[in-house]
Amino acid sequence: MSGTYHTIKKMENEGALLVYSGEVNPDIISRLLQLAEDKLDALEITGGVRKRVFHILVECLQNLYHHAETVVVPGNNLPSRDSVVQLRRDDEAFYVETGNYLLTAVKEKLTAHLSKINSLSKEQVREYYKNIMTDNGFTAKGGAGLGFIDIARKSEEPLQYNFIDLSNDVCFFEFSAKIKI
Amino acid sequence: MKTLLIEKTRQTPYVDFNPENGLFKIGGRSIPENTFAFYESIIAWLDEYVKQPADTTRFEVHLEYFNTSSSKFILELFRKLRQIDQLPEKKLEVVWYYDKDDEEMMETGEDYRDLTEIPFDIREV
């Protein structure tokens, strides 16, 4: 027995509304968004907070879909593209939190991108978004290069992130966006 | 040209572009993972339309949510339509609707107005 009671209690204590672990694909995204909306309906969360939570969840899920790497995790034999995503709340805010495997090679670039976003004021984030939007083209992974900028804009709080090195080549990227109630 | 009609889904907006009377409407959500697949046919349709547009084209936008990759394509729709404004005796009107509580959507309308230099009417509903 692995102790599922412990798992559910831990989730309750952390205010988890939705937790998913596994591969993120378009079908899963659609289902998770529906589940999240049902939860927000049940909690009678409406207006701007609801829009911001939903919007950030969309961008986070699409980030996972486009950017999570298929890696052989040290200690496992089979390659995995599993990610984790959770929506939770406390008295103060909602949190959209994700985790996914990344190649260590992208860590430096991603850190620079996130730290730049965090250094900008609200108005500067808005200008930065406009600048990137008018750049023609999409990234190699099919993204617009706008996801984290938009998350920061909707969150209005510093983006929290952390990298856990698993080997020379592979790391785990943890990310959290806060939406104040 | 035939009217461009696309039904809305949970992830994509409704589109109703009538080339006869020039009334164009788009609204709902635009959050598909593959935005190119959705917008490419709309942009191709607009490429044809701007060659012989109605005297006045009125573009009414009432989006609830859109993802960041859609935002680039929405800019592209405006850029196509802007060509109409440069034709003699043709007129382009844009109305950007946002829901009462949705200040971000209002700001986004202002951003598109700045970027495209099209006169936007930004209205709360």
Side-chain angles (χ1 to χ4, degrees), chain A residues 20 22-33 61-62 64-66 68 81 83, chain B residues 11 33:
Chain A
Y20 172 80
E23 180 162 341
V24 172
N25 59 40
D27 183 43
I28 292 291
I29 292 177
S30 169
R31 287 158 191 253
L32 290 175
L33 290 174
L61 288 168
Q62 292 182 350
L64 294 176
Y65 173 59
H66 287 292
R81 197 174 168 269
S83 306
Chain B
Q11 306 229 343
E33 288 79 36

Side-chain angles (χ1 to χ4, degrees), chain A residues 115-175:
Chain A
S115 112
K116 175 173 180 175
I117 293 168
N118 276 347
S119 74
L120 302 175
S121 69
K122 192 180 174 208
E123 203 44 46
Q124 286 171 323
V125 170
R126 186 174 171 183
E127 285 305 311
Y128 190 36
Y129 188 100
K130 277 156 73 175
N131 289 340
I132 304 285
M133 182 163 68
T134 48
D135 278 356
N136 287 322
F138 285 78
T139 65
K141 302 234 175 186
L146 289 164
F148 286 121
I149 306 171
D150 195 50
I151 292 167
R153 196 173 164 184
K154 298 285 190 304
S155 158
E156 299 185 357
E157 293 285 324
L159 306 174
Q160 304 288 326
Y161 55 93
N162 182 40
F163 296 89
I164 299 165
D165 290 319
L166 301 173
S167 70
N168 285 337
D169 306 321
V170 176
C171 62
F172 191 78
F173 171 60
E174 296 179 322
F175 177 79

Side-chain angles (χ1 to χ4, degrees), chain B residues 51-116:
Chain B
K51 290 176 189 165
Q52 273 193 311
D55 287 346
T56 299
T57 303
R58 181 182 169 87
F59 186 32
E60 298 186 354
V61 185
H62 188 184
L63 290 162
E64 180 194 359
Y65 293 110
F66 56 85
N67 60 2
T68 52
S69 51
S70 294
S71 73
K72 284 204 167 191
F73 285 101
I74 293 164
L75 178 64
E76 194 56 28
L77 300 185
F78 285 124
R79 283 178 166 164
K80 292 281 171 207
L81 287 167
R82 188 171 56 187
Q83 295 174 24
I84 295 169
D85 232 14
Q86 287 149 8
L87 299 170
E89 291 167 36
K90 301 287 179 187
K91 208 173 147 206
L92 172 67
E93 296 171 357
V94 174
V95 189
W96 179 274
Y97 293 103
Y98 67 95
D99 294 332
K100 192 164 166 275
D101 53 34
D102 199 350
E103 196 182 317
E104 278 106 22
M105 197 54 95
M106 179 196 75
E107 288 183 1
T108 305
E110 293 171 353
D111 290 348
Y112 279 120
R113 183 175 60 191
D114 295 349
L115 289 170
T116 59

